[in-house]
C-alpha cells in the first residue's frame, strides 16, 4: 500500500516511537539516531531522564516522517541491545495526552533533507524568481509608532521548486521581516537586510514544498504529485508579474516553529538532554 508524505512536521502517534530502558551514556541521542535512521529519515530524536517514580535511566521519543518506517523500526529494534549492554524496549505510541493536530510546515532545511532522501540530491532543484524590497514608504514605520531610529525592513521572495523526472513544479511566496534597532548604523541596516532576505527565501522555499506530495510505494519507489489543495493565486502569475508584486500575505512565524514541543504518551519527565537535530545539507 502506498504512503503519502507531506513536507510537514509529522503528526500522529503511528509515526512516533517510544524507547525506554536506556542506559546513561555520552552522545545518547547520536547513538539513537545512528541506530534508527537505518529504517528511514527521522524528524527528531529526543532523550529524557526517567521520572523519579520510574527509577534511574532514560527514555527517548523518536519521530519518523513515515509510519511504515516507524513500524519496521519497532519490530526490528524491540528487545535488542543495539548500542548498549541491556535490551531496549520499543513501542509505537498509541495514546498521546493533549496531542495537537495543528498542521506545521517543515523548515526549509528539513524540507531539503526530506527531498534529498527520497528524490536524491540531483532529483530536484530550486530557483529564486524574485527577491525584492517590500518595506513600503518611509512613513510606514512611523505610523506603527516606531521612530526613525528603530524600523524594520521587509523583503518578498518567490521561489520555484522543480522535480524534473516527475514533471512537477511548485511555487512559494513569502515575506521576511527584520528589525533595525539603530537606523543610523549602516552595518546594522545591512545585517537586517540580509536577515530579512534569508528569512523570506527560506519561508518561500518551505511554502513551495507544501504543494508537493511524495507517494512512497511498498517497493521503495517514489512518485511525486502536485498538491492542488495548497495552490495560491500567485501560482498562476508569470515571472514578470511576480517581480512586480509587492503586497503578499505575510506568513506567521509560528508556521515555521523549529522548537515544536513534543507531546508524549502518559509519561512525565523532570530533566532532558538538549535536542539533537540531523545535520543540515
Amino acid at each position: 500500500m502506498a504512503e503519502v508524505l507531506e513536507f510537514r512536521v509529522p503528526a500522529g502517534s503511528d509515526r512516533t516511537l517510544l524507547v525506554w530502558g536506556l542506559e546513561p551514556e555520552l552522545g545518547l541521542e547520536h547513538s539513537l539516531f545512528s541506530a534508527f535512521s537505518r529504517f528511514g529519515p527521522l524528524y527528531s530524536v529526543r532523550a529524557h531522564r526517567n521520572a523519579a517514580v520510574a527509577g534511574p535511566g532514560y527514555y527517548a521519543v523518536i519521530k519518523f516522517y513515515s509510519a511504515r518506517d516507524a513500524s519496521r523500526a519497532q519490530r526490528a529494534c524491540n528487545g535488542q541491545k543495539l548500542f548498549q549492554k541491556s535490551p531496549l524496549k520499543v513501542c509505537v505510541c498509541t495514546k498521546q495526552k493533549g496531542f495537537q493536530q495543528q498542521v506545521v510546515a517543515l523548515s526549509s532545511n528539513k524540507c531539503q533533507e526530506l527531498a534529498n532522501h527520497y528524490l536524491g540530491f540531483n532529483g530536484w532543484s530550486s530557483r529564486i524568481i524574485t527577491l525584492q524590497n517590500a518595506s513600503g514608504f518611509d512613513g510606514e514605520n512611523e505610523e506603527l509608532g516606531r521612530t526613525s531610529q528603530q524600523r524594520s525592513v521587509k523583503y518578498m521572495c518567490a521561489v520555484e521548486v522543480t522535480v524534473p523526472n516527475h514533471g512537477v513544479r511548485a511555487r512559494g511566496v513569502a515575506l521576511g521581516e527584520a528589525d533595525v534597532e539603530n537606523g543610523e548604523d549602516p552595518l546594522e541596516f545591512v545585517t537586517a537586510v540580509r536577515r530579512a532576505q534569508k528569512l523570506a527565501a527560506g519561508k518561500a522555499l518551505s511554502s513551495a514544498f507544501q504543494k508537493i506530495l511524495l507517494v512512497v510505494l511498498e517497493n521503495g519507489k517514489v512518485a511525486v504529485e502536485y498538491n492542488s489543495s495548497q495552490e495560491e493565486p500567485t501560482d498562476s502569475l508569470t515571472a514578470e508579474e511576480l517581480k512586480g508584486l509587492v503586497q503578499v500575505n505575510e506568513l506567521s512565524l509560528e508556521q515555521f516553529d523549529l522548537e515544536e514541543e513534543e507531546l508524549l504518551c502518559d509519561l512525565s519527565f523532570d530533566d532532558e538532554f538538549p535536542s539533537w537535530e540531523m545535520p543540515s545539507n
Side-chain angles (χ1 to χ4, degrees):
M1 183 177 179
E3 182 176 14
V4 178
L5 303 183
E6 298 180 272
F7 287 86
R8 297 178 177 179
V9 173
S13 58
D14 58 347
R15 303 181 186 195
T16 304
L17 294 185
L18 179 63
V19 183
W20 71 97
L22 290 166
E23 301 169 358
E25 70 167 64
L26 186 65
L28 177 57
E29 290 182 335
H30 190 281
S31 298
L32 286 165
F33 172 79
S34 298
F36 285 88
S37 61
R38 297 183 293 112
F39 301 94
L42 305 178
Y43 171 72
S44 64
V45 177
R46 298 185 180 183
H48 309 271
R49 190 190 305 274
N50 287 344
V53 294
Y58 290 81
Y59 70 95
V61 177
I62 300 175
K63 274 196 171 187
F64 284 82
Y65 289 101
S66 163
R68 184 185 300 156
D69 291 344
S71 178
R72 289 194 303 113
Q74 188 276 327
R75 294 194 303 269
C77 297
N78 185 38
Q80 301 298 314
K81 296 180 180 180
L82 297 182
F83 50 82
Q84 62 179 34
K85 296 180 180 179
S86 58
L88 299 173
K89 295 181 181 180
V90 184
C91 71
V92 177
C93 287
T94 57
K95 182 180 179 181
Q96 292 188 314
K97 187 177 180 179
F99 185 78
Q100 296 178 344
Q101 295 295 332
Q102 180 184 6
V103 175
V104 181
L106 285 178
S107 68
S108 58
N109 285 340
K110 291 289 188 182
C111 287
Q112 293 175 78
E113 289 175 359
L114 195 59
N116 288 338
H117 177 84
Y118 285 105
L119 304 175
F121 290 94
N122 299 319
W124 66 278
S125 63
S126 64
R127 69 183 182 96
I128 293 179
I129 300 173
T130 183
L131 178 62
Q132 66 183 67
N133 191 331
S135 299
F137 299 105
D138 293 339
E140 176 184 343
N141 292 310
E142 294 179 6
E143 293 177 2
L144 295 176
R146 302 188 182 188
T147 67
S148 59
Q149 299 294 321
Q150 181 179 7
R151 52 179 175 162
S152 66
V153 291
K154 298 179 183 179
Y155 271 81
M156 184 206 74
C157 185
V159 170
E160 182 176 72
V161 173
T162 304
V163 188
N165 293 338
H166 299 269
V168 173
R169 293 176 182 269
R171 286 179 176 177
V173 178
L175 194 68
E177 181 178 5
D179 288 332
V180 183
E181 296 296 332
N182 182 7
E184 302 296 329
D185 185 349
L187 180 59
E188 184 173 340
F189 180 77
V190 171
T191 301
V193 167
R194 291 177 177 174
R195 189 164 61 248
Q197 290 175 338
K198 183 177 181 180
L199 179 60
K203 291 167 65 177
L205 180 62
S206 177
S207 177
F209 272 114
Q210 303 313 301
K211 300 162 188 174
I212 295 177
L213 298 175
L214 300 174
V215 184
V216 184
L217 307 178
E218 288 188 0
N219 60 9
K221 292 184 177 181
V222 179
V224 181
E225 299 291 340
Y226 181 77
N227 187 1
S228 58
S229 65
Q230 298 296 316
E231 195 166 22
E232 299 171 327
T234 53
D235 294 339
S236 60
L237 298 179
T238 65
E240 291 301 319
E241 289 172 331
L242 279 173
K243 290 178 180 179
L245 181 65
V246 174
Q247 290 186 335
V248 295
N249 292 325
E250 184 171 1
L251 301 179
S252 170
L253 292 177
E254 294 178 357
Q255 298 182 40
F256 303 89
D257 185 6
L258 302 184
E259 300 298 329
E260 172 236 4
E261 180 181 0
E262 298 285 357
L263 297 170
L264 311 177
C265 303
D266 290 348
L267 293 173
S268 61
F269 56 91
D270 54 8
D271 194 11
E272 65 179 60
F273 286 103
S275 176
W276 187 83
E277 298 288 347
M278 289 177 285
S280 301
N281 292 315

